Structure formats: C-alpha cells, structure tokens
Amino acid sequence: MEIIAIANQKGGVGKTTTAVNLAAALHYIAHKKVLLIDLDAQGNATTGVGVDKNALTYTAADVLIDDVSLAKAITPSSSGIDVVGANRDLAGIDMALAEVEDAPFLLKNAIKKATTKGKMDYDFVVIDCAPSLSILTVNAFCATKGVIIPMQCEYYALEGVVDLIDTIKKLSELNPDLYVRGVVRTLFDGRNTLAQDVSDELEKHFGNLMYQTIIPRNVRLAEAPSFGQSIFGYEKSSKGARAYHQLMNEVLNRIDEPSQSQAQISTAFAW
Ligand code: ATP
Ligand code: MG
C-alpha cells in the first residue's frame, strides 16, 4: 500500500485539487483501489469527491482524537474513491492532542491497525493536508514515506518551501523513511512571464525532483468540485484531466525509484 501525502503550508496552491484528482486518476485510469484521507478542517477534499462533510458519522477527527477505527470512518463516494472525511471537528485538534504522547503517530497507528486486521485493502492512500505545519500535517508525514509538494509559480513560492523542507528534515527523526516524491507546478499560466521565470528557477533548484508535468490553470479544474466530482467525472477531455493523468504516470514511475529522490533531497534542499 503506497501512502502519498500532498502538502505545502502555503494556502491555495492546489493541494486539494491535486489530492482529489491524483486519487481519481489512480482510480479511473490505473484502476487502483484508492482511499483519500482529508486532514483539513476545511473539508474541501471531502466535498470535492461529492461527500457531504456535515453529514459524516465519523471523521478523521474521531479517528485521531477518539480512537475510532479508521475502517469505521471510511465513506464511499459516488466517484468510486473511498474517503475518510473531515469537517470543522478537526479544527481544535492541536489543543486536543497537546498532552498525547504519541500524537505524531496517531494516523500511522490507525492505518496499521486497520491493515493488520484486514479492514483496509487499498493500493493507494492519498492524504490531503491543511495549509499549516500543525500536528495534522505531522501525522501525515509520519504515516507516509513520500510527500508531493504542489507549488504555484509566483514570487513568494520558494519562501514557504524552506520551512516545509526544514520540517520534513526534522521529521526524519520521527520517520526515517520520509522523502519528497516530487514538486509539482500548479495553477500555471504560461502567458505570465513571472510564472515562467519562477518555473525555470524551480527547475534549476530542484532538478529531477520537479515533476515534468505542469498543471495548467484550467477553469474545469476549478468547477469540478462544485459538482462533487473529480476532473475525470466532470470533464475527462479537459486540459486539467490530461495534466493530472500525466502527473499520475510520473508518480507511478517514480515509485519504482525512490532512492533517487532521497539522494536529491539533501542536495536540493541545502539552502
Ligand atoms: P488550501 O491551502 O486552502 O487547502 P489548496 O492548496 O488545497 O488550498 P486548492 O483548494 O486545491 O488549494 O485550490 C485553490 C483554488 O484554486 C480552488 O478554488 C481551486 O478550485 C482552484 N484551483 C486549483 N488548481 C487549479 C487549476 N489548475 N486551475 C484552476 N483553478 C484551480
Ligand atoms: Mg486544500
């Protein structure tokens, strides 16, 4: 079972859009069994696959705070992807877990328990993180081996990534297997020369860690969530769908060669 966390503490960079549509590509195109875990109190990934976040019996908060089994919190969605949903119940989690000793490992342990009991049988788990480096994101980083970082090609893009990479490095103490699967450019507008310049900078900086796929700004990608659909359910011939299909291919190819990324992280992020 391959666990992928989608993270960047910067807001609005396309994390959720990437989580939902990568999960959907794995399901629709590669025919994989996929679980999407929403670790953001905004619940956008949950609604993005057509699940009513306010009608959930159990959410990720119940799993993390109240030790409800992960299997119980899984909701099937009409898109064919299963989801562990989230809503504002997740908002106070930092406080709730302040005194909990193994707080960083709650998600990891929940996944392990469900897997060993045979209650969870997925090829892929995709975790959508909140725009913060809170205990929720730490839980995602401890449950996964590999993180995908969506980045928007704008002037301040690199600033936040320094903190993110710093956190990933620090967390290697808790999770020695943690590595960056890749950095994906999102919301890209090729007519904007600044975006092009920043994109070139990112390539120089991150080298092979950059996915070659660039997710374009595409109105269909922005519309799909309001219909509770992934881009593959909403408009599978759109530019956005093609881009996420291509990204999925790259993600799958890299799974066979993680050591390359691991070697890259120490050089690419030494700044
Ligand atoms: P947050 O940090 O709040 O969780 P996020 O990083 O998850 O945000 P998204 O919610 O995926 O970002 O995207 C932010 C907004 O941009 C949303 O309205 C989304 O529909 C839109 N969006 C994301 N990617 C694209 C794209 N490639 N083309 C057009 N719109 C997009
Ligand atoms: Mg989001």
Side-chain angles (χ1 to χ4, degrees), residues 6 14-23 148 150 184 186 215 244 247:
I6 314 288
K15 291 180 290 295
T16 301
T17 305
T18 299
V20 166
N21 291 305
L22 177 62
I148 292 177
V184 57
T186 54
I215 309 296
Y244 276 107
L247 178 67

Side-chain angles (χ1 to χ4, degrees), residues 8-19 40 42 44 128-132 150 186-188 215-225 240 244:
N8 187 338
Q9 83 278 23
K10 203 166 159 44
V13 296
K15 291 180 290 295
T16 301
T17 305
T18 299
D40 185 352
Q42 295 180 97
N44 293 341
D128 183 33
C129 294
S132 74
T186 54
L187 284 149
F188 189 76
I215 309 296
R217 195 174 273 279
N218 175 242
V219 70
R220 298 286 176 254
L221 283 170
E223 288 167 356
Y244 276 107

Side-chain angles (χ1 to χ4, degrees), residues 32-138:
K32 304 289 187 190
K33 286 184 78 178
V34 186
L35 176 67
L36 180 64
I37 300 182
D38 192 346
L39 282 193
D40 185 352
Q42 295 180 97
N44 293 341
T46 308
T47 38
V49 293
V51 170
D52 181 354
K53 66 181 176 186
N54 296 315
L56 294 164
T57 311
Y58 296 114
T59 69
D62 296 300
V63 175
L64 299 176
I65 302 170
D66 293 329
D67 207 20
V68 166
S69 80
L70 195 77
K72 267 194 185 162
I74 293 174
T75 309
S77 77
S78 53
S79 64
I81 302 164
D82 287 350
V83 62
V84 173
N87 56 30
R88 72 173 81 88
D89 289 355
L90 260 187
I93 195 157
D94 276 287
M95 294 273 271
L97 297 183
E99 305 285 307
V100 176
E101 201 185 325
D102 58 350
F105 302 107
L106 295 171
L107 181 63
K108 180 186 173 158
N109 294 342
I111 292 175
K112 205 168 164 189
K113 223 195 252 175
T115 315
T116 46
K117 280 190 177 165
K119 296 255 169 82
M120 206 174 135
D121 172 29
Y122 293 97
D123 303 311
F124 284 87
V125 176
V126 178
I127 307 172
D128 183 33
C129 294
S132 74
L133 294 173
S134 68
I135 191 66
L136 286 171
T137 304
V138 169

